[in-house]
Amino acid sequence: MTLGQHIRVFICVVVMGCIVGFVLNGKEIETDSPYIDYVKAQQWPFNEALHIADVFDGHYELTYWEYFTARNGEHVVQFTGTNDEQQDIYQFIVEKDYTGFLIGAVKQNNILLPPEQKWSFVKTLTNKKASKSGEFLAGI
């Protein structure tokens, strides 16, 4: 084989390796999943009378839910909501057996919020939803 043929074979092997790697590592996204239903039905932090779906549906004009399994095996439900010109993304990490969940990453306009700002923002949504429904939340 000539040097040019060796180079062509090498390039083909690299390209095929990249394609196979992408397919094997890619996450499959679902928009209809029991994990999504589970998260929507859970109680909103700081107000057990509210469900997650109720808070998001009342605050955001455009909403999108999706589920995927992260590369580390975690079950992730991601909510994307747009209100005016702001886009917020929430990631919920769900236990495999539906026994619990955590609020993971929260982004505002593609900026990841640190934990203190994340919880402050969650409280703000709680107060907005409560004020629309006529509730008063003491101590928040």
Side-chain angles (χ1 to χ4, degrees):
M1 265 205 223
T2 66
L3 179 60
Q5 290 172 326
H6 282 294
I7 292 172
R8 276 187 237 136
V9 169
F10 176 75
I11 291 173
C12 286
V13 169
V14 170
V15 168
M16 290 304 291
C18 290
I19 290 171
V20 169
F22 177 78
V23 170
L24 292 178
N25 287 323
K27 59 183 179 182
E28 184 177 330
I29 297 175
E30 299 176 31
T31 56
D32 185 24
S33 166
Y35 286 98
I36 294 173
D37 297 335
Y38 172 79
V39 169
K40 286 180 173 182
Q42 296 309 300
Q43 296 171 333
W44 184 254
F46 308 109
N47 187 340
E48 294 178 358
L50 300 174
H51 292 97
I52 291 173
D54 297 333
V55 172
F56 287 161
D57 290 342
H59 181 73
Y60 295 101
E61 296 166 2
L62 301 172
T63 61
Y64 183 73
W65 292 88
E66 59 189 342
Y67 162 78
F68 60 90
T69 304
R71 289 187 179 144
N72 64 2
E74 290 180 327
H75 297 278
V76 180
V77 172
Q78 181 167 294
F79 169 81
T80 304
T82 305
N83 189 3
D84 296 324
E85 293 185 22
Q86 180 171 312
Q87 182 184 60
D88 298 330
I89 299 172
Y90 294 80
Q91 288 187 339
F92 300 90
I93 313 303
V94 182
E95 296 293 326
K96 183 178 181 178
D97 57 359
Y98 305 100
T99 57
F101 74 99
L102 299 170
I103 297 178
V106 176
K107 290 184 176 181
Q108 287 183 317
N109 293 328
N110 284 330
I111 298 172
L112 182 64
L113 299 180
E116 305 81 34
Q117 285 182 315
K118 172 177 79 172
W119 291 113
S120 176
F121 184 65
V122 169
K123 285 181 181 181
T124 301
L125 283 183
T126 305
N127 291 336
K128 286 181 181 179
K129 179 64 179 176
S131 66
K132 284 183 180 180
S133 65
E135 294 181 27
F136 175 73
L137 299 177
I140 291 183

